[in-house]
Amino acid sequence: MRLGYFTMPLHPLHRDPAVTLQEDREAVILADKLGFHDAFVGEHLTDPEENVTNSFIFLATLIGETKAIRLGTGTSNLSHSHPTLIAAHAAMFDHLAKGRFIFGISPGTLASDAEALGMSLAMEERNKLFSEAIDVILAIWARDAPYDIDFPGNRFKVSTAKTQVPAVGRGRMYKPYQKPRPEIVGTVVAPHSKGVIAMGERDFHPMSANFLLPHWLPSHWRNYAEGKARAGKKADPADWRIARTIFVADDDKVAEAYGRRDGNSPYRYYWDKLRANMMRAKRHVIFKRREEEDDSAVTLERLVDELVIAGSVDKVVDDILALREQAGDFGEIVYAGMDWVDPALARRSMELMATQVMPRINSR
C-alpha cells in the first residue's frame, strides 16, 4: 500500500495566509522527504479558510523544493476556466515537473465560487461544464493543430485553423510530458456515485474522499469495477486511493486530545467546518449510517469519533487494517493534512505514519 497526502488546505480565518501558505508548502516538502508517493492540493476562490486559489500556482513553487513526490491538483476545478487554458497549463506543468504530475479534476462544488464567476448555482450545470471540458482537454492533448474540436452538444469549440503558421509553430499547444497523458484522478464523495462508473470507463482513477463514513466505500469500488468492465477491462485495486483523516502520536492520550477532544484540536475544527458546509449544501448523507437517518444524529462528536483515525502507532495500524477489511483492497491511503496548531505534533504524526505505520501495514 502506498502513502499519499492531501490537503484542502483548511485554516482558521484569523491566521495570516502568508504564514499558512508557507506551512502548507512545508507539509508537502516534509512528505517528500518522508517518502510519500504523492501530494494533492485543493483550490477554491472564495473561501479564505481554504487559502489556495490555484493549485497549479501553489504546486509550481514546490517543484524545485521536492525530489520524488508526485504533485497533484486536488483538484483543478474544470468549470472555472476554458478547457484550452487548463489543457495548456497542465501540459506545461507536466514539463516543469518532468512527469511528477497528477491531474486531479472535479467540477468545482463551492457555490460562492460559481456566483463570483457569474455561473449558474445549479450543480447540474457545473457537472455538465466539467464533462464538456474534460472531453476537450483530452482532445487537445491527443490531436495536432489546428485541432478543429467541435463535439455535438459541447459548448467549447477549439481551432487555430484561421491563424496558425505551421512553419514557425504558431497555433500549436503543448502536449504533456507524460505519454499519452498524465494520470487523471477524480475525487469521489457521494455514496453510490455514478461518476465513478465513468471514471472506470475512461481509465481515470478514483480517490474516495475522507469525508464519508467507511461503510460507503465499497459502493465506490463496485461502481468503478463496473465502469472498467464496460470498457472491457478489469479494475486494479492499485488504482484506488482512499483518503482518511489520521493523527499518529507517541502516546494514545496525546492522540485522543489533539486528534479529537481538545478545544484547540485542528481535527475538531476541521470536522466542525466540514459538517456545517455539508449541512448547508444538503450533502450530509455522507456522514450518515443510513440514508434515512435523522439529521440530528450527525453530531460533531460522532464525526470525530468515526472519521478521525487517532492513536499511537499500534492503534493506527490496527485501524487502517480494519479499514482495509471493510473497504476491500486498495492501493493508497491518503493522509489528510490539517492546520498545524502544534507544528511539532503535526510533523511527528507524518513521520510516524511514514516510518512506522506504513512498514507495519505493508508487512501484513
Side-chain angles (χ1 to χ4, degrees), residues 49-85:
E49 289 180 288
E50 299 186 40
N51 57 344
V52 173
T53 61
N54 184 294
S55 53
F56 285 117
I57 294 173
F58 179 85
L59 291 169
T61 73
L62 291 163
I63 294 171
E65 300 280 352
T66 57
K67 296 184 182 303
I69 197 166
R70 300 173 75 204
L71 303 171
T73 51
T75 60
S76 180
N77 295 325
L78 301 193
S79 68
H80 292 180
S81 300
H82 195 287
T84 299
L85 287 173

Side-chain angles (χ1 to χ4, degrees), residues 258-284:
Y258 192 77
R260 290 198 180 100
R261 305 300 171 205
D262 191 283
N264 291 323
S265 164
Y267 293 82
R268 196 171 182 87
Y269 159 76
Y270 180 92
W271 284 108
D272 190 38
K273 164 91 172 176
L274 263 291
R275 176 181 174 272
N277 284 355
M278 292 298 179
M279 295 287 274
R280 277 192 294 269
K282 308 298 183 186
R283 300 175 65 201
H284 53 289

